[in-house]
Amino acid sequence: MFGRTLLAALAVAAPQPAPASSLVSDAPVRQLIDDWYKRAKADESPYPLIASGAVLDWPKVDDCGPKPAYAQPRPPFELAATALRFDYEIRKLTLHDDLAKAVVRERGWFYAWAAEKTYQTAVETTFVLEKDRDGHWKVLAHAPHPTAVHPDHVDDPMPDLKDEWEARQRKE
């Protein structure tokens, strides 16, 4: 009886370890996500940021059109790569010692030349990240899902992107 009481008292008095999520800094994870979108905007391959054996919710290479055999598939629906303007917000970030999950709301603005209007689209992307043996975060899973633009994020009035659209057309 005395032994159980002593153990219970020690358990209550002993300092409790902090939850794992408070021990891990979120700065490297946020930097990895920022690097992901910078690479997409620059039309660079995301493969240096992807973990070995990653699960990517992308179409097969054959579905992306003709490509050379050595070409690595890229995320086909990245708003950062296709939109005239792009913004993202990390809505939820869960960290553990060697795993992290981020839910990111992406917004992209496009110009519809026939209607002469700007429109906005949204994607909710889930990233699952793991820390490799060297301590670097890598993307273990990436799943973009088109979604409606959240009512709090609808721009009224929409920006006029006609000049940006025309400049992009001249480059192509």
mmCIF file of all heavy atoms in Angstrom, residues 120-165:
data_model
loop_
_atom_site.group_PDB
_atom_site.id
_atom_site.type_symbol
_atom_site.label_atom_id
_atom_site.label_comp_id
_atom_site.label_asym_id
_atom_site.label_seq_id
_atom_site.Cartn_x
_atom_site.Cartn_y
_atom_site.Cartn_z
ATOM 1 N N GLN A 120 -10.872 34.134 -59.276
ATOM 2 C CA GLN A 120 -10.047 33.571 -58.213
ATOM 3 C C GLN A 120 -10.406 32.105 -58.021
ATOM 4 O O GLN A 120 -11.576 31.737 -58.092
ATOM 5 C CB GLN A 120 -10.316 34.354 -56.932
ATOM 6 C CG GLN A 120 -9.509 33.958 -55.748
ATOM 7 C CD GLN A 120 -9.848 34.810 -54.542
ATOM 8 O OE1 GLN A 120 -10.635 35.741 -54.602
ATOM 9 N NE2 GLN A 120 -9.244 34.492 -53.429
ATOM 10 N N THR A 121 -9.401 31.264 -57.799
ATOM 11 C CA THR A 121 -9.638 29.860 -57.486
ATOM 12 C C THR A 121 -8.897 29.506 -56.208
ATOM 13 O O THR A 121 -8.002 30.245 -55.766
ATOM 14 C CB THR A 121 -9.169 28.926 -58.622
ATOM 15 O OG1 THR A 121 -7.775 29.101 -58.802
ATOM 16 C CG2 THR A 121 -9.897 29.206 -59.910
ATOM 17 N N ALA A 122 -9.263 28.376 -55.632
ATOM 18 C CA ALA A 122 -8.644 27.954 -54.377
ATOM 19 C C ALA A 122 -8.378 26.454 -54.394
ATOM 20 O O ALA A 122 -9.095 25.686 -55.048
ATOM 21 C CB ALA A 122 -9.541 28.306 -53.198
ATOM 22 N N VAL A 123 -7.346 26.078 -53.676
ATOM 23 C CA VAL A 123 -6.977 24.677 -53.498
ATOM 24 C C VAL A 123 -6.596 24.508 -52.035
ATOM 25 O O VAL A 123 -5.950 25.376 -51.450
ATOM 26 C CB VAL A 123 -5.780 24.290 -54.407
ATOM 27 C CG1 VAL A 123 -5.277 22.900 -54.086
ATOM 28 C CG2 VAL A 123 -6.148 24.411 -55.864
ATOM 29 N N GLU A 124 -7.017 23.409 -51.453
ATOM 30 C CA GLU A 124 -6.589 23.072 -50.100
ATOM 31 C C GLU A 124 -5.624 21.896 -50.234
ATOM 32 O O GLU A 124 -6.000 20.836 -50.744
ATOM 33 C CB GLU A 124 -7.786 22.696 -49.230
ATOM 34 C CG GLU A 124 -7.374 22.478 -47.814
ATOM 35 C CD GLU A 124 -8.267 23.222 -46.838
ATOM 36 O OE1 GLU A 124 -8.575 24.399 -47.071
ATOM 37 O OE2 GLU A 124 -8.618 22.609 -45.848
ATOM 38 N N THR A 125 -4.390 22.095 -49.830
ATOM 39 C CA THR A 125 -3.345 21.091 -50.000
ATOM 40 C C THR A 125 -2.903 20.571 -48.649
ATOM 41 O O THR A 125 -2.686 21.342 -47.717
ATOM 42 C CB THR A 125 -2.136 21.694 -50.744
ATOM 43 O OG1 THR A 125 -2.569 22.163 -52.017
ATOM 44 C CG2 THR A 125 -1.043 20.665 -50.934
ATOM 45 N N THR A 126 -2.773 19.253 -48.571
ATOM 46 C CA THR A 126 -2.261 18.621 -47.366
ATOM 47 C C THR A 126 -0.844 18.141 -47.633
ATOM 48 O O THR A 126 -0.599 17.434 -48.609
ATOM 49 C CB THR A 126 -3.147 17.424 -46.951
ATOM 50 O OG1 THR A 126 -4.479 17.892 -46.752
ATOM 51 C CG2 THR A 126 -2.639 16.780 -45.677
ATOM 52 N N PHE A 127 0.072 18.570 -46.789
ATOM 53 C CA PHE A 127 1.458 18.114 -46.822
ATOM 54 C C PHE A 127 1.685 17.234 -45.597
ATOM 55 O O PHE A 127 1.303 17.619 -44.489
ATOM 56 C CB PHE A 127 2.435 19.282 -46.703
ATOM 57 C CG PHE A 127 2.568 20.152 -47.907
ATOM 58 C CD1 PHE A 127 1.737 21.257 -48.069
ATOM 59 C CD2 PHE A 127 3.535 19.902 -48.863
ATOM 60 C CE1 PHE A 127 1.875 22.093 -49.165
ATOM 61 C CE2 PHE A 127 3.680 20.732 -49.959
ATOM 62 C CZ PHE A 127 2.845 21.830 -50.111
ATOM 63 N N VAL A 128 2.309 16.097 -45.782
ATOM 64 C CA VAL A 128 2.817 15.309 -44.670
ATOM 65 C C VAL A 128 4.327 15.298 -44.855
ATOM 66 O O VAL A 128 4.823 14.979 -45.937
ATOM 67 C CB VAL A 128 2.251 13.875 -44.656
ATOM 68 C CG1 VAL A 128 2.877 13.061 -43.529
ATOM 69 C CG2 VAL A 128 0.741 13.903 -44.515
ATOM 70 N N LEU A 129 5.039 15.681 -43.822
ATOM 71 C CA LEU A 129 6.489 15.835 -43.902
ATOM 72 C C LEU A 129 7.170 14.905 -42.908
ATOM 73 O O LEU A 129 6.606 14.600 -41.856
ATOM 74 C CB LEU A 129 6.872 17.278 -43.580
ATOM 75 C CG LEU A 129 6.111 18.351 -44.357
ATOM 76 C CD1 LEU A 129 6.234 19.683 -43.665
ATOM 77 C CD2 LEU A 129 6.617 18.439 -45.769
ATOM 78 N N GLU A 130 8.371 14.478 -43.276
ATOM 79 C CA GLU A 130 9.158 13.681 -42.346
ATOM 80 C C GLU A 130 10.562 14.254 -42.273
ATOM 81 O O GLU A 130 11.058 14.859 -43.218
ATOM 82 C CB GLU A 130 9.207 12.213 -42.774
ATOM 83 C CG GLU A 130 10.085 11.923 -43.950
ATOM 84 C CD GLU A 130 10.273 10.437 -44.217
ATOM 85 O OE1 GLU A 130 9.911 9.622 -43.354
ATOM 86 O OE2 GLU A 130 10.781 10.100 -45.291
ATOM 87 N N LYS A 131 11.191 14.033 -41.131
ATOM 88 C CA LYS A 131 12.567 14.477 -40.943
ATOM 89 C C LYS A 131 13.475 13.306 -41.322
ATOM 90 O O LYS A 131 13.309 12.195 -40.813
ATOM 91 C CB LYS A 131 12.803 14.894 -39.493
ATOM 92 C CG LYS A 131 14.093 15.674 -39.295
ATOM 93 C CD LYS A 131 14.323 16.033 -37.846
ATOM 94 C CE LYS A 131 13.358 17.085 -37.388
ATOM 95 N NZ LYS A 131 13.662 17.561 -36.027
ATOM 96 N N ASP A 132 14.417 13.553 -42.235
ATOM 97 C CA ASP A 132 15.310 12.480 -42.654
ATOM 98 C C ASP A 132 16.434 12.285 -41.637
ATOM 99 O O ASP A 132 16.494 12.978 -40.618
ATOM 100 C CB ASP A 132 15.847 12.722 -44.070
ATOM 101 C CG ASP A 132 16.729 13.961 -44.184
ATOM 102 O OD1 ASP A 132 17.116 14.527 -43.150
ATOM 103 O OD2 ASP A 132 17.024 14.352 -45.325
ATOM 104 N N ARG A 133 17.326 11.347 -41.917
ATOM 105 C CA ARG A 133 18.415 11.032 -40.971
ATOM 106 C C ARG A 133 19.336 12.213 -40.718
ATOM 107 O O ARG A 133 19.966 12.308 -39.674
ATOM 108 C CB ARG A 133 19.225 9.864 -41.512
ATOM 109 C CG ARG A 133 18.472 8.575 -41.498
ATOM 110 C CD ARG A 133 19.335 7.444 -42.007
ATOM 111 N NE ARG A 133 18.546 6.226 -42.048
ATOM 112 C CZ ARG A 133 18.759 5.249 -42.873
ATOM 113 N NH1 ARG A 133 19.751 5.323 -43.740
ATOM 114 N NH2 ARG A 133 18.002 4.186 -42.849
ATOM 115 N N ASP A 134 19.427 13.103 -41.719
ATOM 116 C CA ASP A 134 20.289 14.280 -41.571
ATOM 117 C C ASP A 134 19.602 15.437 -40.851
ATOM 118 O O ASP A 134 20.192 16.498 -40.677
ATOM 119 C CB ASP A 134 20.759 14.764 -42.949
ATOM 120 C CG ASP A 134 21.573 13.714 -43.681
ATOM 121 O OD1 ASP A 134 22.243 12.907 -42.995
ATOM 122 O OD2 ASP A 134 21.535 13.687 -44.916
ATOM 123 N N GLY A 135 18.340 15.248 -40.482
ATOM 124 C CA GLY A 135 17.602 16.291 -39.778
ATOM 125 C C GLY A 135 16.903 17.283 -40.683
ATOM 126 O O GLY A 135 16.405 18.299 -40.213
ATOM 127 N N HIS A 136 16.846 17.013 -41.993
ATOM 128 C CA HIS A 136 16.159 17.891 -42.936
ATOM 129 C C HIS A 136 14.731 17.398 -43.158
ATOM 130 O O HIS A 136 14.501 16.204 -43.285
ATOM 131 C CB HIS A 136 16.899 17.923 -44.285
ATOM 132 C CG HIS A 136 18.290 18.433 -44.172
ATOM 133 N ND1 HIS A 136 19.386 17.608 -44.151
ATOM 134 C CD2 HIS A 136 18.769 19.699 -44.050
ATOM 135 C CE1 HIS A 136 20.478 18.324 -44.032
ATOM 136 N NE2 HIS A 136 20.129 19.612 -43.958
ATOM 137 N N TRP A 137 13.815 18.334 -43.232
ATOM 138 C CA TRP A 137 12.422 17.982 -43.505
ATOM 139 C C TRP A 137 12.237 17.732 -44.995
ATOM 140 O O TRP A 137 12.777 18.459 -45.818
ATOM 141 C CB TRP A 137 11.488 19.091 -43.045
ATOM 142 C CG TRP A 137 11.375 19.188 -41.551
ATOM 143 C CD1 TRP A 137 12.067 20.021 -40.738
ATOM 144 C CD2 TRP A 137 10.539 18.407 -40.712
ATOM 145 N NE1 TRP A 137 11.702 19.813 -39.432
ATOM 146 C CE2 TRP A 137 10.761 18.826 -39.387
ATOM 147 C CE3 TRP A 137 9.616 17.394 -40.945
ATOM 148 C CZ2 TRP A 137 10.095 18.268 -38.307
ATOM 149 C CZ3 TRP A 137 8.950 16.834 -39.869
ATOM 150 C CH2 TRP A 137 9.195 17.272 -38.559
ATOM 151 N N LYS A 138 11.444 16.695 -45.324
ATOM 152 C CA LYS A 138 11.136 16.337 -46.708
ATOM 153 C C LYS A 138 9.637 16.062 -46.812
ATOM 154 O O LYS A 138 8.996 15.664 -45.842
ATOM 155 C CB LYS A 138 11.905 15.075 -47.144
ATOM 156 C CG LYS A 138 13.409 15.211 -47.122
ATOM 157 C CD LYS A 138 13.895 16.015 -48.287
ATOM 158 C CE LYS A 138 15.412 16.016 -48.356
ATOM 159 N NZ LYS A 138 15.914 16.626 -49.536
ATOM 160 N N VAL A 139 9.098 16.242 -48.002
ATOM 161 C CA VAL A 139 7.674 15.991 -48.240
ATOM 162 C C VAL A 139 7.475 14.492 -48.401
ATOM 163 O O VAL A 139 8.023 13.876 -49.307
ATOM 164 C CB VAL A 139 7.184 16.755 -49.491
ATOM 165 C CG1 VAL A 139 5.743 16.408 -49.789
ATOM 166 C CG2 VAL A 139 7.364 18.251 -49.304
ATOM 167 N N LEU A 140 6.676 13.911 -47.532
ATOM 168 C CA LEU A 140 6.370 12.488 -47.571
ATOM 169 C C LEU A 140 5.077 12.230 -48.337
ATOM 170 O O LEU A 140 4.925 11.212 -48.996
ATOM 171 C CB LEU A 140 6.262 11.945 -46.142
ATOM 172 C CG LEU A 140 6.026 10.460 -45.981
ATOM 173 C CD1 LEU A 140 7.185 9.667 -46.586
ATOM 174 C CD2 LEU A 140 5.894 10.117 -44.495
ATOM 175 N N ALA A 141 4.142 13.169 -48.259
ATOM 176 C CA ALA A 141 2.882 13.060 -48.997
ATOM 177 C C ALA A 141 2.411 14.461 -49.359
ATOM 178 O O ALA A 141 2.606 15.410 -48.594
ATOM 179 C CB ALA A 141 1.824 12.341 -48.165
ATOM 180 N N HIS A 142 1.805 14.568 -50.537
ATOM 181 C CA HIS A 142 1.308 15.851 -51.044
ATOM 182 C C HIS A 142 -0.003 15.577 -51.746
ATOM 183 O O HIS A 142 -0.056 14.767 -52.670
ATOM 184 C CB HIS A 142 2.328 16.448 -52.018
ATOM 185 C CG HIS A 142 1.872 17.711 -52.676
ATOM 186 N ND1 HIS A 142 1.232 17.718 -53.884
ATOM 187 C CD2 HIS A 142 1.979 19.002 -52.284
ATOM 188 C CE1 HIS A 142 0.959 18.977 -54.216
ATOM 189 N NE2 HIS A 142 1.403 19.766 -53.261
ATOM 190 N N ALA A 143 -1.070 16.205 -51.299
ATOM 191 C CA ALA A 143 -2.385 15.970 -51.882
ATOM 192 C C ALA A 143 -3.141 17.290 -52.028
ATOM 193 O O ALA A 143 -3.660 17.825 -51.059
ATOM 194 C CB ALA A 143 -3.185 15.004 -51.010
ATOM 195 N N PRO A 144 -3.201 17.841 -53.247
ATOM 196 C CA PRO A 144 -3.991 19.058 -53.485
ATOM 197 C C PRO A 144 -5.439 18.699 -53.796
ATOM 198 O O PRO A 144 -5.705 17.713 -54.486
ATOM 199 C CB PRO A 144 -3.304 19.683 -54.709
ATOM 200 C CG PRO A 144 -2.679 18.527 -55.418
ATOM 201 C CD PRO A 144 -2.375 17.481 -54.388
ATOM 202 N N HIS A 145 -6.358 19.493 -53.273
ATOM 203 C CA HIS A 145 -7.783 19.269 -53.513
ATOM 204 C C HIS A 145 -8.445 20.604 -53.846
ATOM 205 O O HIS A 145 -8.467 21.496 -52.988
ATOM 206 C CB HIS A 145 -8.450 18.654 -52.281
ATOM 207 C CG HIS A 145 -7.841 17.361 -51.877
ATOM 208 N ND1 HIS A 145 -8.034 16.196 -52.568
ATOM 209 C CD2 HIS A 145 -6.987 17.059 -50.872
ATOM 210 C CE1 HIS A 145 -7.354 15.227 -51.995
ATOM 211 N NE2 HIS A 145 -6.697 15.727 -50.964
ATOM 212 N N PRO A 146 -8.964 20.754 -55.072
ATOM 213 C CA PRO A 146 -9.672 21.998 -55.409
ATOM 214 C C PRO A 146 -10.829 22.218 -54.440
ATOM 215 O O PRO A 146 -11.489 21.272 -54.014
ATOM 216 C CB PRO A 146 -10.179 21.749 -56.829
ATOM 217 C CG PRO A 146 -9.318 20.657 -57.358
ATOM 218 C CD PRO A 146 -8.937 19.814 -56.173
ATOM 219 N N THR A 147 -11.050 23.462 -54.109
ATOM 220 C CA THR A 147 -12.111 23.805 -53.163
ATOM 221 C C THR A 147 -12.678 25.168 -53.535
ATOM 222 O O THR A 147 -12.134 25.870 -54.384
ATOM 223 C CB THR A 147 -11.561 23.807 -51.717
ATOM 224 O OG1 THR A 147 -12.634 24.023 -50.810
ATOM 225 C CG2 THR A 147 -10.513 24.871 -51.524
ATOM 226 N N ALA A 148 -13.753 25.524 -52.910
ATOM 227 C CA ALA A 148 -14.344 26.844 -53.143
ATOM 228 C C ALA A 148 -13.513 27.901 -52.413
ATOM 229 O O ALA A 148 -12.865 27.616 -51.410
ATOM 230 C CB ALA A 148 -15.780 26.874 -52.626
ATOM 231 N N VAL A 149 -13.547 29.101 -52.940
ATOM 232 C CA VAL A 149 -12.873 30.210 -52.270
ATOM 233 C C VAL A 149 -13.668 30.528 -51.003
ATOM 234 O O VAL A 149 -14.885 30.706 -51.043
ATOM 235 C CB VAL A 149 -12.795 31.445 -53.187
ATOM 236 C CG1 VAL A 149 -12.166 32.616 -52.459
ATOM 237 C CG2 VAL A 149 -12.019 31.117 -54.450
ATOM 238 N N HIS A 150 -12.979 30.554 -49.880
ATOM 239 C CA HIS A 150 -13.635 30.829 -48.608
ATOM 240 C C HIS A 150 -14.259 32.222 -48.656
ATOM 241 O O HIS A 150 -13.641 33.168 -49.139
ATOM 242 C CB HIS A 150 -12.610 30.740 -47.472
ATOM 243 C CG HIS A 150 -13.217 30.702 -46.129
ATOM 244 N ND1 HIS A 150 -13.563 31.835 -45.445
ATOM 245 C CD2 HIS A 150 -13.568 29.668 -45.338
ATOM 246 C CE1 HIS A 150 -14.082 31.506 -44.275
ATOM 247 N NE2 HIS A 150 -14.093 30.187 -44.189
ATOM 248 N N PRO A 151 -15.493 32.389 -48.152
ATOM 249 C CA PRO A 151 -16.160 33.696 -48.217
ATOM 250 C C PRO A 151 -15.356 34.836 -47.603
ATOM 251 O O PRO A 151 -15.451 35.976 -48.055
ATOM 252 C CB PRO A 151 -17.463 33.472 -47.440
ATOM 253 C CG PRO A 151 -17.709 32.017 -47.499
ATOM 254 C CD PRO A 151 -16.353 31.361 -47.570
ATOM 255 N N ASP A 152 -14.542 34.533 -46.595
ATOM 256 C CA ASP A 152 -13.719 35.581 -45.981
ATOM 257 C C ASP A 152 -12.567 36.012 -46.878
ATOM 258 O O ASP A 152 -11.921 37.020 -46.609
ATOM 259 C CB ASP A 152 -13.143 35.094 -44.650
ATOM 260 C CG ASP A 152 -14.209 34.889 -43.598
ATOM 261 O OD1 ASP A 152 -15.332 35.402 -43.774
ATOM 262 O OD2 ASP A 152 -13.925 34.209 -42.600
ATOM 263 N N HIS A 153 -12.293 35.244 -47.932
ATOM 264 C CA HIS A 153 -11.146 35.531 -48.792
ATOM 265 C C HIS A 153 -11.537 35.973 -50.194
ATOM 266 O O HIS A 153 -10.678 36.050 -51.070
ATOM 267 C CB HIS A 153 -10.231 34.309 -48.881
ATOM 268 C CG HIS A 153 -9.583 33.989 -47.583
ATOM 269 N ND1 HIS A 153 -9.734 32.775 -46.966
ATOM 270 C CD2 HIS A 153 -8.795 34.727 -46.762
ATOM 271 C CE1 HIS A 153 -9.067 32.772 -45.838
ATOM 272 N NE2 HIS A 153 -8.488 33.948 -45.682
ATOM 273 N N VAL A 154 -12.795 36.236 -50.430
ATOM 274 C CA VAL A 154 -13.219 36.709 -51.744
ATOM 275 C C VAL A 154 -12.849 38.185 -51.858
ATOM 276 O O VAL A 154 -13.187 38.992 -50.996
ATOM 277 C CB VAL A 154 -14.744 36.513 -51.937
ATOM 278 C CG1 VAL A 154 -15.207 37.139 -53.230
ATOM 279 C CG2 VAL A 154 -15.077 35.032 -51.919
ATOM 280 N N ASP A 155 -12.128 38.509 -52.915
ATOM 281 C CA ASP A 155 -11.733 39.898 -53.125
ATOM 282 C C ASP A 155 -12.865 40.644 -53.824
ATOM 283 O O ASP A 155 -13.368 40.194 -54.850
ATOM 284 C CB ASP A 155 -10.479 39.979 -53.999
ATOM 285 C CG ASP A 155 -9.264 39.440 -53.291
ATOM 286 O OD1 ASP A 155 -9.310 39.299 -52.059
ATOM 287 O OD2 ASP A 155 -8.256 39.165 -53.958
ATOM 288 N N ASP A 156 -13.251 41.759 -53.266
ATOM 289 C CA ASP A 156 -14.291 42.574 -53.876
ATOM 290 C C ASP A 156 -13.878 44.029 -53.730
ATOM 291 O O ASP A 156 -13.843 44.537 -52.610
ATOM 292 C CB ASP A 156 -15.639 42.323 -53.210
ATOM 293 C CG ASP A 156 -16.784 42.981 -53.949
ATOM 294 O OD1 ASP A 156 -16.626 43.240 -55.159
ATOM 295 O OD2 ASP A 156 -17.829 43.239 -53.325
ATOM 296 N N PRO A 157 -13.484 44.694 -54.759
ATOM 297 C CA PRO A 157 -13.456 44.244 -56.150
ATOM 298 C C PRO A 157 -12.200 43.406 -56.426
ATOM 299 O O PRO A 157 -11.209 43.491 -55.701
ATOM 300 C CB PRO A 157 -13.398 45.539 -56.950
ATOM 301 C CG PRO A 157 -12.666 46.486 -56.053
ATOM 302 C CD PRO A 157 -13.081 46.097 -54.638
ATOM 303 N N MET A 158 -12.276 42.611 -57.475
ATOM 304 C CA MET A 158 -11.138 41.805 -57.910
ATOM 305 C C MET A 158 -10.071 42.721 -58.507
ATOM 306 O O MET A 158 -10.401 43.731 -59.119
ATOM 307 C CB MET A 158 -11.556 40.796 -58.978
ATOM 308 C CG MET A 158 -12.318 39.632 -58.457
ATOM 309 S SD MET A 158 -11.199 38.502 -57.638
ATOM 310 C CE MET A 158 -12.311 37.170 -57.342
ATOM 311 N N PRO A 159 -8.798 42.359 -58.355
ATOM 312 C CA PRO A 159 -7.752 43.165 -58.983
ATOM 313 C C PRO A 159 -7.841 43.039 -60.505
ATOM 314 O O PRO A 159 -8.263 42.008 -61.028
ATOM 315 C CB PRO A 159 -6.461 42.551 -58.454
ATOM 316 C CG PRO A 159 -6.826 41.170 -58.049
ATOM 317 C CD PRO A 159 -8.263 41.219 -57.627
ATOM 318 N N ASP A 160 -7.452 44.080 -61.211
ATOM 319 C CA ASP A 160 -7.444 44.041 -62.675
ATOM 320 C C ASP A 160 -6.088 43.493 -63.122
ATOM 321 O O ASP A 160 -5.062 44.155 -62.972
ATOM 322 C CB ASP A 160 -7.677 45.437 -63.253
ATOM 323 C CG ASP A 160 -7.769 45.428 -64.770
ATOM 324 O OD1 ASP A 160 -7.811 44.315 -65.357
ATOM 325 O OD2 ASP A 160 -7.788 46.507 -65.366
ATOM 326 N N LEU A 161 -6.079 42.284 -63.652
ATOM 327 C CA LEU A 161 -4.844 41.618 -64.037
ATOM 328 C C LEU A 161 -4.610 41.626 -65.545
ATOM 329 O O LEU A 161 -3.783 40.866 -66.044
ATOM 330 C CB LEU A 161 -4.847 40.176 -63.522
ATOM 331 C CG LEU A 161 -4.923 40.004 -62.008
ATOM 332 C CD1 LEU A 161 -4.908 38.534 -61.639
ATOM 333 C CD2 LEU A 161 -3.795 40.739 -61.321
ATOM 334 N N LYS A 162 -5.320 42.492 -66.255
ATOM 335 C CA LYS A 162 -5.195 42.509 -67.709
ATOM 336 C C LYS A 162 -3.750 42.783 -68.140
ATOM 337 O O LYS A 162 -3.218 42.099 -69.016
ATOM 338 C CB LYS A 162 -6.131 43.554 -68.317
ATOM 339 C CG LYS A 162 -6.096 43.568 -69.823
ATOM 340 C CD LYS A 162 -7.091 44.553 -70.403
ATOM 341 C CE LYS A 162 -7.072 44.497 -71.920
ATOM 342 N NZ LYS A 162 -8.066 45.376 -72.511
ATOM 343 N N ASP A 163 -3.086 43.767 -67.533
ATOM 344 C CA ASP A 163 -1.713 44.102 -67.917
ATOM 345 C C ASP A 163 -0.758 42.940 -67.626
ATOM 346 O O ASP A 163 0.120 42.634 -68.433
ATOM 347 C CB ASP A 163 -1.241 45.365 -67.201
ATOM 348 C CG ASP A 163 -2.016 46.594 -67.651
ATOM 349 O OD1 ASP A 163 -2.580 46.573 -68.765
ATOM 350 O OD2 ASP A 163 -2.064 47.575 -66.882
ATOM 351 N N GLU A 164 -0.931 42.280 -66.474
ATOM 352 C CA GLU A 164 -0.079 41.137 -66.143
ATOM 353 C C GLU A 164 -0.313 39.987 -67.112
ATOM 354 O O GLU A 164 0.626 39.296 -67.510
ATOM 355 C CB GLU A 164 -0.336 40.686 -64.703
ATOM 356 C CG GLU A 164 0.141 41.682 -63.669
ATOM 357 C CD GLU A 164 -0.185 41.261 -62.260
ATOM 358 O OE1 GLU A 164 0.007 40.064 -61.934
ATOM 359 O OE2 GLU A 164 -0.625 42.126 -61.472
ATOM 360 N N TRP A 165 -1.568 39.753 -67.488
ATOM 361 C CA TRP A 165 -1.891 38.691 -68.433
ATOM 362 C C TRP A 165 -1.263 38.983 -69.793
ATOM 363 O O TRP A 165 -0.665 38.101 -70.408
ATOM 364 C CB TRP A 165 -3.414 38.550 -68.562
ATOM 365 C CG TRP A 165 -3.811 37.477 -69.513
ATOM 366 C CD1 TRP A 165 -3.878 36.131 -69.260
ATOM 367 C CD2 TRP A 165 -4.190 37.643 -70.871
ATOM 368 N NE1 TRP A 165 -4.269 35.465 -70.388
ATOM 369 C CE2 TRP A 165 -4.473 36.371 -71.397
ATOM 370 C CE3 TRP A 165 -4.320 38.745 -71.704
ATOM 371 C CZ2 TRP A 165 -4.872 36.167 -72.707
ATOM 372 C CZ3 TRP A 165 -4.727 38.539 -73.011
ATOM 373 C CH2 TRP A 165 -5.001 37.269 -73.499
#
